[in-house]
Amino acid sequence: MPKAKKPKILVMNGPNLNMLGTREPHLYGSDTLEAINSQIRALAVELGLGVEFFQSNSQGALVDKIQQAHGAFAGIVINPAAYTHTSVAIRDALAFFGGPVVEVHLSNIHRREDFRSISYVSGIAAGVVAGLGKHGYFAALRFLAATLSQNKA
Ligand code: CA2
């Protein structure tokens, strides 16, 4: 029997998250983005998922990548960082994607400044994880693995 193709997940991170591990560990933890991504990659292998990573400080580059994800990825995990609170463009691109989207925040955006409680992305997301640090990405991946395998049956 031919091997079933692994569902591919796109893990996206927005502006300044390339700086993880260098400052503000009390908010965002002390792991670098590379270290978190390699833990996500190991979990993806365990869950039978393919995974690709994309980080950009530019809104346009994030929108371009989301557009390209249509039909190429089964699901998206995204920490839009500061664009969470400002970007209709990222929300619209994610809505067009069509597959399940999980919004992740390292910090609990609801116990910080008021403006961080507003998310333009949450309204089109299957779910939102905030405040669990890097474990939020792992939870999002586990959720997508469960959801996508259910849809296949
Ligand atoms: O908690 C999160 O994951 C955020 O998405 C992080 C964003 C923030 O604007 C959101 O409100 C919540 C900021 C990411 C900044 O990352 C840095 C990492 C290291 C050093 C400086 C910034």
Side-chain angles (χ1 to χ4, degrees), residues 49-67:
L49 297 171
V51 74
E52 185 179 311
F53 301 99
F54 184 81
Q55 187 279 330
S56 180
N57 295 324
S58 144
Q59 180 173 215
L62 291 162
V63 169
D64 286 345
K65 187 67 187 178
I66 296 164
Q67 287 181 7

Side-chain angles (χ1 to χ4, degrees), residues 21-101:
T22 63
R23 280 184 293 139
E24 311 206 79
H26 59 292
L27 281 174
Y28 304 126
S30 52
D31 283 298
T32 62
L33 186 58
E34 231 174 64
I36 294 174
N37 285 350
S38 78
Q39 292 168 57
I40 293 173
R41 186 176 287 111
L43 178 61
V45 170
E46 206 180 288
L47 296 173
L49 297 171
V51 74
E52 185 179 311
F53 301 99
F54 184 81
Q55 187 279 330
S56 180
N57 295 324
S58 144
Q59 180 173 215
L62 291 162
V63 169
D64 286 345
K65 187 67 187 178
I66 296 164
Q67 287 181 7
Q68 290 156 15
H70 184 73
F73 289 89
I76 294 180
V77 174
I78 184 165
N79 183 345
Y83 289 137
T84 306
H85 320 298
T86 63
S87 180
V88 177
I90 288 177
R91 177 199 170 104
D92 287 350
L94 288 168
F96 162 78
F97 168 65
V101 172

